[in-house]
Amino acid sequence: MEITLESPLDMHLHLRDGDMLKLVAPLSADFAGAVIMPNLVPPVTEPGAMVAYSERIREAMGADCEFDRYMTLFFTALTEQQLVLAQETPGFFGLKLYPAGITTNSEGGVSNLAEAESTLKLMEEMGIPLLVHGESHGFVMDREAEFLSVYRNLARKFPKLRLCMEHITTAAALELLDEFENLCATVTLQHLIITLDDVAGGALKPHLFCKPIAKRPGDRDALLQAAINGHPRLMFGSDSAPHPRCKKEACGCAAGVFTAPLALPKLAEIFAQHGALDKLQGFVSGNACRIHGLKPHAKRVTLHDVPMSVPSLYADYGQQVVPMYAGEEISWSVKA
Ligand code: DOR
Ligand code: ZN
């Protein structure tokens, strides 16, 4: 069996910077492009810094690699003039809003949403999408559920704002998605597969620890069903989030699962297992193109049911990163 995907997109990707960027960027090269997260240190808040970062990504990808970089700015309250400047900057995709301190490098995020509203109104008028890390500061398993009322209020108050719930992890988030036409959502690979039990039910698995944390079996099952049934407003966003091995295998483990190099083969494996290969194109590209009006450059990737051995470690430029399924086999792979 095989499937050829047209211009697959990763709608939520962390590429980092410096040596880590050099190591991980080429590992996303089977994708035609990705939405690039801005939570660097310091975060990418200005169009100038965004363009410079985009250029570093282009270099790290390799000169002959065509890869569309949909760049985001870390949300701060912006004036109309600043938003116009962002919108006129080549490669700009949208703003990523983090509640202050909610995850890696988000200390400069929003602590009072009311102060963001004038910017959101302008974004609604200008057609700029808002991507949101939707978690409260409550009990870790309830953080996404507690944030759903914020999404609901935003969806009501700004009915024309394209509001993307990033990396959803609950059945309740899917229900909300169905309530409002102006909501869309991304889901990661790991949240289609694992539950909290896989992270912490036995020996602790630091390489499966991410934010939002994986939830209950019913949540995982609902997300998987939505993906393989071709939910029209659910898009693949890996949230592949590499951290140096020493920061993951540590007391105070950094949040993030590194899935970029195996995401497409594993998705093909799962969709094939469920007899849903015909829904994969929409999930990894079609929905995103329709929702956001994207026209990625043409890139075809053929996946087939020939096993792939996932390396136990990716190491180069003095960096070491452990992928999901390190040292294991996936029953599909990219056809050379
Ligand atoms: O697990 C996560 N890692 N969740 C996020 O929201 C951020 C990401 C990162 O940048 O490491
Ligand atoms: Zn992320």
Side-chain angles (χ1 to χ4, degrees), residues 316-327:
D316 209 346
Y317 305 101
Q319 299 288 313
Q320 294 192 334
V321 188
V322 178
M324 191 180 183
Y325 295 111

Side-chain angles (χ1 to χ4, degrees), residues 102-123:
I102 202 69
T103 188
T104 312
N105 306 334
S106 64
E107 293 72 20
V110 173
S111 38
N112 180 0
L113 206 57
E115 288 166 14
E117 288 196 356
S118 58
T119 306
L120 299 182
K121 183 87 204 124
L122 289 164
M123 290 171 66

Side-chain angles (χ1 to χ4, degrees), residues 14 16 39 98 103-104 133 167 209-212 239 241 243 255-256:
H14 297 269
R16 313 304 190 201
N39 60 333
Y98 292 89
T103 188
T104 312
H133 183 117
H167 43 56
F209 171 62
C210 64
K211 301 221 175 136
D239 199 11
H243 289 278

Side-chain angles (χ1 to χ4, degrees), residues 9-15 28 31 33-39 70 72 93 96-98 103 131-134 164-168 185-188 211-212 235-241 257 259-260:
L9 297 172
D10 183 343
M11 297 304 288
H12 184 134
L13 179 63
H14 297 269
L15 286 175
S28 282
F31 288 91
V35 174
I36 310 296
M37 290 299 123
N39 60 333
Y70 301 106
T72 59
F93 178 76
K96 172 73 187 285
L97 188 153
Y98 292 89
T103 188
L131 319 183
V132 180
H133 183 117
C164 191
M165 305 193 281
E166 294 296 315
H167 43 56
I168 59 170
T186 62
V187 66
T188 72
K211 301 221 175 136
M235 301 168 279
F236 177 62
S238 71
D239 199 11
S240 178
V257 182
T259 54

Side-chain angles (χ1 to χ4, degrees), residues 20 35 45 79 92 101 123 135 139 180-181 187 213 215 224 234 249 291 304 307:
M20 183 60 90
V35 174
T45 54
T79 63
F92 173 69
M123 290 171 66
E135 287 194 285
F139 176 66
F180 293 94
E181 288 286 323
V187 66
I213 200 153
K215 303 291 188 312
L224 180 60
L234 188 62
E249 297 173 5
I291 290 166
H304 57 173

Side-chain angles (χ1 to χ4, degrees), residues 195-205:
T195 71
L196 183 59
D197 257 4
D198 297 290
V199 186
L204 191 68
K205 298 281 175 34

